[in-house]
């Protein structure tokens, strides 16, 4: 129950008036009795009011790396409807690091202000904001996926804003026949890219983000360094496991060094590239567990576990838990060594019961957080609807009080 307050006070800390959401939409009326999915989670000095995270989703809608009013509406709706954390899509640390010419970027100061506007709105709804910093590597300079009918990720040429002659990677090995052959990065260029991640992280701090995620998954540049299938280097960045993870570890160290101690730092990886069938060394679950054990010592707070995306010949399992099982195996291996790294799970999380079970403490718990993408596109109010289906009274946006379920009205009103 909340105490009666006649004021319609505004949300503090934002540059415009909007009624304060106290508590935030999506907060459980009684967290102690709620399923883990609707319990708060502390990350350094921050607290998420539930475990439902809006996963970064490329929208191919930016203007030379600058986000627009489209992104404000797209991302703002998830905060309005109760998500615990909203993560801005993969944001390139340099122009040639974009997947498409219309990708988000943070390589110049002019890109800060559009992001700050989005962060301010997310904060106005008492929701935390994060951004995913990325470099597309050899999968860069492609068209938006809906262009060209059935053609997926067709190469964008110079006439359409692309840079097929300036795509880079650890080695000159193309992702597929319809992608550019990357130029092998020099040692100086590698160090320049490490610096670009740190510089973009500083801009993210200036934009007001609460958290940063490093994108090391889905076959983009960091994944390409990790995998022996795409990394054929014979210097300190190729060959052994220790050499192949060096680029990632240097990025983590560079980013952690320039962001506040209080700011959580996340990492997304592909736990396997699903190429075990190829009969040659690849990045697999065992490699991911080995990497995961290094992360807490480097200042990583959350490991976001996805999979695939580095080889056109991948053979994924086609079962609902194909990705959440990977998260569970990594989490179990860490716990067995008394390593308490928070784990996020993704993949086919499209039903309230499944989301609940993935993070429910005890039993077969796979993760501590769920990151949801497609279901939020289908159902922007997934947090509120899932709570109703699970029988969990959660706060609705104050302005939507006339539509809230009866149990919510009783739980949050005098």
């Amino acid at each position: 129950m909340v105490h009666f307050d006649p004021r319609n006070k505004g949300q503090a800390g934002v540059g415009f008036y909007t009624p304060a959401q106290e508590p935030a939409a999506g907060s459980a009326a009684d967290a102690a009795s709620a399923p883990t999915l609707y319990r708060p989670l502390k990350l350094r000095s921050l607290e998420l009011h539930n475990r439902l995270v809006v996963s970064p989703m490329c929208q191919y809608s930016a203007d030379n790396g600058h986000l627009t009013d489209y992104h404000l509406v797209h991302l703002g709706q998830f905060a309005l409807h109760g998500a615990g954390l909203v993560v801005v899509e993969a944001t390139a640390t340099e122009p040639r690091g974009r997947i498409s010419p219309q990708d988000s970027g943070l390589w110049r100061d002019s890109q800060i202000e559009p992001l700050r506007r989005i962060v301010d709105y997310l904060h106005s709804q008492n929701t935390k904001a994060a951004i995913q910093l990325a470099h597309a590597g050899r999968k860069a300079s492609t068209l938006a996926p809906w262009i060209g009918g059935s053609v997926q990720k067709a190469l964008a040429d110079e006439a359409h804003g692309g840079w097929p002659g300036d795509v880079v990677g650890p080695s000159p090995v193309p992702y597929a026949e319809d992608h550019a052959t990357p130029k092998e990065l020099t040692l100086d260029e590698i160090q320049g890219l490490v610096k670009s991640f740190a510089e973009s992280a500083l801009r993210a701090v200036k934009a007001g983000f609460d958290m940063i995620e490093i994108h090391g998954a889905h076959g983009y540049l960091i994944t390409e360094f990790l995998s022996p299938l795409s990394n054929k280097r014979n210097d300190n960045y190729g060959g052994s496991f220790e050499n192949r993870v060096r680029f990632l570890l240097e990025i983590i160290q560079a980013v952690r060094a320039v962001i506040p101690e209080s700011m959580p730092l996340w990492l997304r990886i592909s736990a396997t590239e699903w190429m075990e069938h190829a009969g040659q060394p690849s990045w697999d679950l065992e490699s991911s567990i080995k990497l995961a054990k290094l992360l807490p010592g480097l200042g990583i707070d959350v490991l976001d576990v996805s999979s695939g995306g580095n080889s056109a010949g991948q053979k994924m399992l086609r079962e609902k838990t194909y990705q959440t099982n990977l998260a569970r195996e990594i989490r179990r291996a860490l716990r067995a060594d008394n390593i308490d790294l928070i784990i996020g799970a993704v993949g086919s999380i499209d039903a309230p019961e499944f989301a609940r079970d993935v993070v429910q403490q005890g039993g077969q718990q796979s993760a501590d957080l769920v990151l949801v993408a497609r279901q939020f596109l289908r159902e922007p109010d997934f947090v509120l609807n899932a709570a109703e289906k699970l029988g969990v009274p959660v706060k609705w946006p104050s302005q939507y009080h006339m539509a809230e379920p009866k149990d919510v009205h009783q739980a949050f009103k005098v």
Side-chain angles (χ1 to χ4, degrees):
M1 301 288 286
V2 296
H3 295 292
F4 176 70
D5 187 341
R7 300 172 299 163
N8 191 7
K9 69 175 183 178
Q11 181 67 40
V14 296
F16 57 93
Y17 172 76
T18 187
Q21 303 293 339
E22 296 177 347
S27 299
D30 181 10
S33 64
T36 307
L37 187 64
Y38 286 94
R39 293 178 191 168
L41 179 66
K42 191 77 176 291
L43 300 169
R44 295 196 178 229
S45 65
L46 297 171
E47 185 173 89
L48 306 184
H49 60 273
N50 61 45
R51 314 294 182 95
L52 285 147
V53 177
V54 178
S55 194
M57 296 178 276
C58 290
Q59 296 294 290
Y60 310 97
S61 301
D63 181 6
N64 192 27
H66 299 76
L67 298 196
T68 70
D69 284 357
Y70 167 78
H71 300 90
L72 176 66
V73 174
H74 163 65
L75 295 167
Q77 64 182 331
F78 306 126
L80 177 65
H81 290 104
L85 174 68
V86 177
V87 187
V88 173
E89 65 191 75
T91 296
T93 63
E94 66 165 2
R96 64 182 179 178
R98 292 170 292 171
I99 303 167
S100 84
Q102 291 79 39
D103 273 21
S104 174
L106 198 44
W107 63 80
R108 57 190 296 185
D109 288 349
S110 61
Q111 293 158 342
I112 295 173
E113 190 55 39
L115 287 165
R116 182 184 287 121
R117 187 175 180 216
I118 292 168
V119 170
D120 282 350
Y121 180 78
L122 301 179
H123 286 168
S124 80
Q125 302 306 303
N126 206 3
T127 292
K128 300 299 187 291
I131 189 168
Q132 185 186 66
L133 299 181
H135 194 294
R138 65 177 182 166
K139 296 178 79 174
S141 190
T142 60
L143 297 171
W146 59 81
I147 296 175
S150 61
V151 178
Q152 294 294 311
K153 298 292 187 183
L155 195 64
D157 58 23
E158 290 88 346
H160 297 95
W163 52 100
D166 198 23
V167 171
V168 297
S171 303
V173 180
Y175 170 73
E177 292 181 359
D178 60 349
H179 283 62
T181 297
K183 297 187 298 183
E184 181 170 307
L185 288 161
T186 67
L187 293 177
D188 285 344
E189 287 176 320
I190 290 172
Q191 290 308 303
L193 287 171
V194 172
K195 184 180 178 183
S196 78
F197 271 86
E199 291 172 343
S200 293
L202 276 173
R203 294 188 182 98
V205 173
K206 291 178 181 178
F209 283 100
D210 302 298
M211 304 181 206
I212 291 173
E213 177 173 81
I214 296 168
H215 194 355
H218 301 163
Y220 300 121
L221 185 60
I222 291 173
T223 314
E224 294 160 22
F225 270 91
L226 295 177
S227 169
L229 295 178
S230 47
N231 184 348
K232 303 296 183 181
R233 303 178 71 95
N234 55 13
D235 58 15
N236 287 341
Y237 291 91
S240 66
F241 171 88
E242 290 73 18
N243 283 353
R244 286 183 283 110
V245 302
R246 189 183 307 276
F247 180 53
L248 168 59
L249 301 194
E250 289 180 351
I251 289 173
I252 293 171
Q253 291 168 329
V255 170
R256 185 75 263 176
V258 299
I259 64 175
E261 178 65 25
S262 60
M263 176 179 279
L265 182 60
W266 297 33
L267 171 66
R268 172 172 280 192
I269 63 168
S270 285
T272 174
E273 53 187 320
W274 299 108
M275 289 295 290
E276 291 85 350
H277 64 277
Q280 53 185 311
S282 63
W283 188 264
D284 55 15
L285 181 59
E286 182 180 354
S287 304
S288 292
I289 292 172
K290 189 174 180 181
L291 172 64
K293 292 180 179 181
L294 303 176
L295 298 177
L298 296 167
I300 292 292
D301 301 286
V302 176
L303 179 61
D304 171 5
V305 180
S306 188
S307 71
N310 195 46
S311 295
Q314 66 184 17
K315 292 185 178 180
M316 289 186 171
L317 295 175
R318 291 302 178 187
E319 57 186 37
K320 191 172 184 62
T321 59
Y322 79 108
Q323 299 213 100
T324 58
N325 285 347
L326 295 169
R328 186 177 70 241
E329 290 304 312
I330 292 174
R331 190 174 185 276
R332 284 179 172 175
L334 292 172
R335 297 301 187 273
D337 283 356
N338 295 314
I339 300 174
D340 194 22
L341 181 64
I342 294 171
I343 301 296
V346 307
S348 301
I349 299 173
D350 55 5
E353 296 81 5
F354 186 40
R356 175 199 62 202
D357 293 347
V358 167
V359 299
Q360 186 61 36
Q361 292 176 355
Q364 297 296 311
Q365 183 179 8
S366 299
D368 306 282
L369 293 155
V370 291
L371 291 95
V372 180
R374 288 179 176 85
Q375 192 57 31
F376 272 121
L377 296 181
R378 302 182 190 105
E379 190 180 2
D381 51 354
F382 178 60
V383 174
L384 304 179
N385 291 343
E388 186 173 7
K389 291 176 182 176
L390 294 174
V392 183
V394 300
K395 175 75 162 50
W396 273 45
S398 298
Q399 300 95 320
Y400 286 22
H401 74 281
M402 288 186 292
E404 63 193 13
K406 184 180 295 186
D407 61 346
V408 171
H409 185 82
Q410 292 170 340
F412 285 94
K413 305 297 181 184
V414 175

